[in-house]
Amino acid sequence: MNKGKFIVVEGIEGAGKSTICNVIVDILSEKKIKSIITREPGGTPLAEQLRKLIKQGVEGDKLIPKAELLMIYAARIQLLDTVIQPTLAKGIWVVGDRHNLSSYVYQGAGRQIELNLIKTLSHQIIGDFKPDLTIYLDVTPEIGITRVCKRGSLDLIEQESLCFFKRVRELYLHIVANDNSMRLIDATQPLQQVITLLRITLINWLSGQII
Ligand code: T5A
């Protein structure tokens, strides 16, 4: 049986990741490829509880960066072991709304935790597991946050400063430029244009895969 592939969509808040994950599932379905969507942090009942704690916090007990990092990896390994790996083993593809790269950019560049610590933790927890393809949707923090603000109240990370999201974006751009399993899409354009670019990128990539 063929093993499924893992495609991840990354980007700052409001880049359009959730929207684009659904489009990827539709394109794969046109190609008769079955897929599911996962999100991080979250995606299992336990990991969803951790997500709530990370996004909303606990009144009077500020979540410190290293505790946040550990909770994110707890949620990630729970999702990986109980959902992602078993799904891929069945030959079903997984489309991830965020994965490991988010921890490097948010906890590393954003929260300024040493990247070596994140690298070590990542290696110990998820080993050499990595996406087959990462689509990075690039928007400026100004555009991303404006889109998210239209939705209403902001969670703890969304309330971070513009400087925080600028550091996050800078590290995304640096990593994506140096990894050939990643593709950058300019997501500042109108949604229909982003979808057109995504379709071209995905179909090109699929044509190079043995399915
Ligand atoms: N986190 C996560 C970490 O700190 N470390 C980690 O390791 C991980 C895995 C998750 C939070 O956790 C943090 C990062 C996050 O802060 P979340 O709510 O899932 O929280 O946050 P996001 O993943 O950023 O999700 P968002 O919903 O905020 O953004 P999306 O998914 O990028 O955007 P989407 O698709 O919901 O679109 C937002 C709005 O913009 C519109 C959409 O219609 C929607 O209204 N839109 C566009 N409008 C105009 N033009 C376009 N091209 C548009 N694309 C989308």
Coordinates of all heavy atoms in Angstrom, one line a residue, residues 144-196:
G144 N -2.0 40.7 7.4 CA -2.5 39.5 8.1 C -3.4 39.9 9.3 O -4.5 39.4 9.5
I145 N -2.8 40.8 10.1 CA -3.6 41.2 11.4 C -4.8 42.0 11.0 O -5.9 41.8 11.7 CB -2.6 42.0 12.3 CG1 -1.5 41.1 12.8 CG2 -3.4 42.6 13.5 CD1 -1.8 39.8 13.5
T146 N -4.8 42.8 10.0 CA -6.0 43.5 9.6 C -7.1 42.5 9.2 O -8.3 42.6 9.6 CB -5.8 44.4 8.3 OG1 -4.7 45.3 8.7 CG2 -7.0 45.2 7.9
R147 N -6.8 41.4 8.5 CA -7.8 40.4 8.1 C -8.3 39.7 9.4 O -9.5 39.5 9.5 CB -7.1 39.3 7.2 CG -6.8 39.8 5.8 CD -6.2 38.6 5.0 NE -5.7 39.1 3.7 CZ -4.9 38.4 3.0 NH1 -4.5 37.2 3.4 NH2 -4.5 38.8 1.8
V148 N -7.4 39.4 10.3 CA -7.8 38.7 11.5 C -8.7 39.6 12.4 O -9.7 39.1 13.1 CB -6.6 38.2 12.3 CG1 -6.9 37.8 13.7 CG2 -6.0 37.0 11.5
C149 N -8.4 40.9 12.5 CA -9.2 41.8 13.3 C -10.6 41.9 12.9 O -11.5 42.1 13.8 CB -8.5 43.2 13.2 SG -7.1 43.4 14.3
K150 N -10.9 41.7 11.6 CA -12.3 41.8 11.1 C -13.1 40.7 11.8 O -14.3 40.7 11.8 CB -12.3 41.6 9.6 CG -11.8 42.8 8.9 CD -12.0 42.8 7.4 CE -11.3 43.9 6.7 NZ -10.8 43.5 5.4
R151 N -12.4 39.6 12.3 CA -13.1 38.4 12.8 C -13.7 38.7 14.3 O -14.5 38.0 14.8 CB -12.1 37.3 12.9 CG -12.6 36.0 12.6 CD -11.6 35.0 12.3 NE -10.3 35.1 13.0 CZ -9.3 34.4 12.6 NH1 -9.3 33.6 11.6 NH2 -8.1 34.5 13.3
G152 N -13.1 39.7 14.9 CA -13.6 40.0 16.3 C -12.4 40.0 17.3 O -11.3 40.4 17.0
S153 N -12.7 39.4 18.5 CA -11.6 39.4 19.6 C -10.4 38.6 19.2 O -10.5 37.6 18.5 CB -12.3 38.9 20.9 OG -12.6 37.6 20.7
L154 N -9.3 39.1 19.7 CA -8.0 38.5 19.4 C -7.5 37.5 20.5 O -7.7 37.9 21.7 CB -6.9 39.5 19.2 CG -7.2 40.5 18.0 CD1 -6.1 41.6 18.0 CD2 -7.3 39.8 16.7
D155 N -6.9 36.4 20.2 CA -6.3 35.5 21.2 C -5.0 36.0 21.7 O -4.5 37.1 21.2 CB -6.3 34.0 20.7 CG -5.3 33.8 19.6 OD1 -4.2 34.5 19.6 OD2 -5.5 33.0 18.8
L156 N -4.3 35.3 22.7 CA -3.1 35.8 23.3 C -2.0 36.1 22.3 O -1.3 37.1 22.4 CB -2.6 34.8 24.3 CG -3.4 34.7 25.6 CD1 -2.9 33.7 26.6 CD2 -3.4 36.1 26.3
I157 N -1.8 35.2 21.3 CA -0.7 35.3 20.3 C -1.1 36.5 19.3 O -0.3 37.3 19.0 CB -0.4 34.0 19.6 CG1 0.1 33.0 20.6 CG2 0.7 34.2 18.5 CD1 0.4 31.6 20.1
E158 N -2.4 36.5 18.9 CA -2.8 37.5 18.0 C -2.6 38.9 18.5 O -2.5 39.9 17.8 CB -4.3 37.3 17.5 CG -4.4 36.1 16.6 CD -5.9 35.6 16.5 OE1 -6.7 36.1 17.2 OE2 -6.1 34.7 15.7
Q159 N -2.6 39.0 19.9 CA -2.4 40.3 20.5 C -1.0 40.8 20.6 O -0.7 41.9 21.1 CB -3.0 40.3 22.0 CG -4.5 40.2 22.1 CD -4.9 39.8 23.5 OE1 -4.2 40.0 24.5 NE2 -6.1 39.2 23.6
E160 N -0.1 40.0 20.1 CA 1.4 40.3 20.1 C 1.6 41.5 19.2 O 0.8 41.9 18.4 CB 2.2 39.1 19.7 CG 2.5 38.1 20.7 CD 3.3 38.7 21.9 OE1 4.0 39.7 21.7 OE2 3.2 38.1 23.0
S161 N 2.8 42.2 19.4 CA 3.1 43.4 18.7 C 3.5 43.1 17.2 O 3.7 42.0 16.8 CB 4.4 44.0 19.3 OG 5.5 43.1 19.1
L162 N 3.4 44.2 16.4 CA 3.8 44.1 15.0 C 5.3 43.6 14.9 O 5.6 42.8 14.0 CB 3.7 45.5 14.4 CG 3.2 45.5 13.0 CD1 1.9 44.7 12.8 CD2 2.9 47.0 12.6
C163 N 6.1 44.0 15.8 CA 7.6 43.6 15.8 C 7.6 42.0 16.0 O 8.5 41.4 15.3 CB 8.3 44.2 17.0 SG 8.7 45.9 16.7
F164 N 6.8 41.5 16.8 CA 6.8 40.0 17.0 C 6.5 39.3 15.7 O 7.2 38.5 15.3 CB 5.7 39.7 18.1 CG 5.4 38.2 18.3 CD1 6.0 37.6 19.4 CD2 4.6 37.5 17.5 CE1 5.8 36.2 19.6 CE2 4.3 36.1 17.7 CZ 4.9 35.5 18.8
F165 N 5.5 39.8 15.0 CA 5.1 39.1 13.7 C 6.1 39.4 12.6 O 6.3 38.6 11.7 CB 3.7 39.6 13.3 CG 2.6 39.0 14.2 CD1 2.0 39.8 15.1 CD2 2.4 37.6 14.2 CE1 1.0 39.2 16.0 CE2 1.5 37.0 15.1 CZ 0.8 37.8 16.0
K166 N 6.8 40.6 12.7 CA 7.9 40.9 11.7 C 9.0 39.9 11.9 O 9.6 39.4 10.9 CB 8.4 42.3 11.9 CG 7.4 43.3 11.3 CD 7.9 44.7 11.3 CE 6.9 45.6 10.5 NZ 7.0 47.0 10.9
R167 N 9.4 39.6 13.2 CA 10.4 38.6 13.4 C 10.0 37.2 12.9 O 10.8 36.5 12.3 CB 10.7 38.5 14.9 CG 11.4 39.7 15.5 CD 12.0 39.4 16.9 NE 11.1 38.9 17.9 CZ 10.4 39.7 18.7 NH1 10.6 41.1 18.6 NH2 9.6 39.2 19.6
V168 N 8.7 36.9 13.2 CA 8.2 35.6 12.7 C 8.3 35.5 11.2 O 8.8 34.5 10.7 CB 6.7 35.4 13.2 CG1 6.1 34.2 12.6 CG2 6.7 35.3 14.7
R169 N 7.9 36.5 10.5 CA 7.9 36.5 9.0 C 9.3 36.4 8.5 O 9.6 35.7 7.6 CB 7.2 37.7 8.5 CG 7.2 37.8 7.0 CD 6.5 39.0 6.4 NE 6.4 39.0 5.0 CZ 6.7 40.0 4.2 NH1 7.1 41.2 4.8 NH2 6.7 39.9 2.9
E170 N 10.2 37.2 9.1 CA 11.6 37.2 8.7 C 12.2 35.8 8.7 O 12.9 35.3 7.8 CB 12.5 38.1 9.5 CG 12.7 39.4 8.8 CD 13.3 40.4 9.8 OE1 14.2 40.1 10.6 OE2 12.9 41.6 9.7
L171 N 11.9 35.0 9.8 CA 12.5 33.7 9.9 C 11.8 32.7 8.9 O 12.5 31.9 8.3 CB 12.4 33.1 11.4 CG 13.2 31.8 11.6 CD1 14.6 31.9 11.2 CD2 13.1 31.3 13.1
Y172 N 10.5 32.9 8.8 CA 9.8 32.1 7.7 C 10.5 32.3 6.4 O 10.9 31.3 5.7 CB 8.4 32.6 7.5 CG 7.3 31.8 8.3 CD1 6.3 32.5 9.0 CD2 7.2 30.4 8.3 CE1 5.2 31.8 9.6 CE2 6.2 29.7 8.9 CZ 5.2 30.5 9.6 OH 4.2 29.8 10.2
L173 N 10.7 33.6 6.0 CA 11.3 33.8 4.7 C 12.7 33.2 4.6 O 13.1 32.7 3.5 CB 11.4 35.4 4.5 CG 10.0 36.0 4.2 CD1 10.1 37.6 4.2 CD2 9.4 35.6 2.9
H174 N 13.5 33.3 5.6 CA 14.8 32.8 5.6 C 14.8 31.3 5.4 O 15.6 30.7 4.6 CB 15.6 33.2 6.9 CG 16.9 32.6 7.0 ND1 18.0 33.1 6.3 CD2 17.4 31.5 7.7 CE1 19.1 32.4 6.6 NE2 18.7 31.4 7.4
I175 N 14.0 30.6 6.2 CA 13.9 29.1 6.2 C 13.4 28.6 4.8 O 14.0 27.7 4.2 CB 13.1 28.5 7.3 CG1 13.8 28.8 8.7 CG2 12.9 27.0 7.2 CD1 13.1 28.4 9.9
V176 N 12.3 29.3 4.3 CA 11.7 28.9 3.1 C 12.7 29.0 1.9 O 12.7 28.2 1.0 CB 10.4 29.6 2.8 CG1 9.8 29.4 1.4 CG2 9.4 29.3 3.9
A177 N 13.5 30.1 2.0 CA 14.5 30.3 0.9 C 15.6 29.3 0.8 O 16.2 29.1 -0.2 CB 15.1 31.7 1.0
N178 N 15.7 28.5 1.9 CA 16.8 27.6 2.0 C 16.4 26.1 2.1 O 17.1 25.3 2.5 CB 17.7 27.9 3.2 CG 18.5 29.2 3.0 OD1 19.4 29.3 2.2 ND2 18.0 30.3 3.6
D179 N 15.1 25.8 1.7 CA 14.6 24.5 1.8 C 13.8 24.1 0.6 O 12.8 24.8 0.3 CB 13.8 24.3 3.1 CG 13.3 22.9 3.3 OD1 13.1 22.1 2.3 OD2 13.2 22.5 4.5
N180 N 14.3 23.2 -0.2 CA 13.6 22.9 -1.5 C 12.3 22.1 -1.4 O 11.6 21.8 -2.4 CB 14.5 22.4 -2.6 CG 15.2 21.1 -2.2 OD1 14.7 20.5 -1.2 ND2 16.2 20.7 -2.9
S181 N 11.9 21.8 -0.1 CA 10.6 21.1 0.0 C 9.5 22.2 0.4 O 8.4 21.8 0.7 CB 10.7 20.0 1.1 OG 10.8 20.7 2.4
M182 N 9.9 23.4 0.3 CA 9.0 24.5 0.6 C 8.8 25.4 -0.6 O 9.7 25.6 -1.4 CB 9.5 25.4 1.8 CG 9.7 24.5 3.0 SD 10.1 25.5 4.4 CE 10.5 24.3 5.6
R183 N 7.5 25.9 -0.7 CA 7.2 26.8 -1.8 C 6.5 28.1 -1.2 O 5.6 28.0 -0.4 CB 6.1 26.2 -2.7 CG 6.5 24.8 -3.3 CD 7.6 25.0 -4.5 NE 7.8 23.7 -5.1 CZ 8.6 22.8 -4.6 NH1 9.3 23.0 -3.5 NH2 8.8 21.6 -5.2
L184 N 7.0 29.2 -1.7 CA 6.4 30.5 -1.2 C 5.3 31.0 -2.2 O 5.5 30.9 -3.4 CB 7.5 31.5 -1.1 CG 7.1 32.9 -0.6 CD1 8.3 33.6 0.2 CD2 6.7 33.9 -1.7
I185 N 4.2 31.4 -1.6 CA 3.1 32.0 -2.5 C 2.8 33.3 -1.9 O 2.6 33.5 -0.7 CB 1.8 31.1 -2.5 CG1 2.1 29.8 -3.3 CG2 0.6 31.8 -3.1 CD1 1.0 28.8 -3.4
D186 N 2.8 34.4 -2.8 CA 2.5 35.7 -2.3 C 0.9 35.8 -2.0 O 0.1 35.8 -2.9 CB 2.8 36.7 -3.5 CG 2.4 38.1 -3.1 OD1 1.9 38.3 -2.0 OD2 2.6 39.0 -3.9
A187 N 0.6 35.8 -0.7 CA -0.8 35.7 -0.3 C -1.3 37.1 0.0 O -2.4 37.2 0.6 CB -0.9 34.8 0.9
T188 N -0.6 38.2 -0.5 CA -1.2 39.5 -0.3 C -2.2 39.8 -1.4 O -3.0 40.8 -1.4 CB -0.1 40.6 -0.4 OG1 0.6 40.5 -1.6 CG2 0.9 40.4 0.7
Q189 N -2.2 38.9 -2.4 CA -3.1 39.2 -3.6 C -4.5 38.7 -3.3 O -4.8 38.0 -2.3 CB -2.6 38.3 -4.7 CG -1.1 38.5 -5.1 CD -0.7 37.5 -6.1 OE1 -1.0 37.7 -7.3 NE2 0.1 36.5 -5.7
P190 N -5.5 39.1 -4.1 CA -6.9 38.7 -3.9 C -6.9 37.2 -3.8 O -6.2 36.5 -4.5 CB -7.6 39.2 -5.1 CG -6.8 40.4 -5.6 CD -5.4 40.0 -5.2
L191 N -7.9 36.6 -3.0 CA -8.0 35.2 -2.8 C -8.0 34.4 -4.1 O -7.3 33.3 -4.1 CB -9.2 34.9 -1.9 CG -9.3 33.5 -1.4 CD1 -8.1 33.0 -0.7 CD2 -10.6 33.4 -0.5
Q192 N -8.7 34.8 -5.1 CA -8.8 34.0 -6.3 C -7.4 33.8 -7.0 O -7.1 32.8 -7.5 CB -9.8 34.6 -7.3 CG -11.2 34.1 -7.1 CD -11.3 32.6 -6.8 OE1 -10.7 31.8 -7.5 NE2 -12.1 32.2 -5.8
Q193 N -6.6 34.9 -6.9 CA -5.3 34.8 -7.5 C -4.4 33.9 -6.6 O -3.5 33.2 -7.2 CB -4.6 36.2 -7.6 CG -5.2 37.0 -8.7 CD -4.6 38.4 -8.8 OE1 -3.5 38.6 -8.5 NE2 -5.4 39.3 -9.3
V194 N -4.5 33.9 -5.3 CA -3.8 33.0 -4.5 C -4.1 31.6 -4.8 O -3.3 30.7 -4.9 CB -4.0 33.4 -3.0 CG1 -3.3 32.4 -2.1 CG2 -3.6 34.8 -2.6
I195 N -5.4 31.3 -5.0 CA -5.9 30.0 -5.3 C -5.3 29.5 -6.6 O -4.9 28.4 -6.8 CB -7.4 29.9 -5.3 CG1 -7.9 30.1 -3.8 CG2 -7.9 28.6 -5.8 CD1 -9.4 30.2 -3.6
T196 N -5.3 30.4 -7.6 CA -4.7 30.1 -8.9 C -3.2 29.7 -8.8 O -2.8 28.7 -9.3 CB -4.9 31.2 -9.9 OG1 -6.2 31.5 -10.0 CG2 -4.3 30.9 -11.3

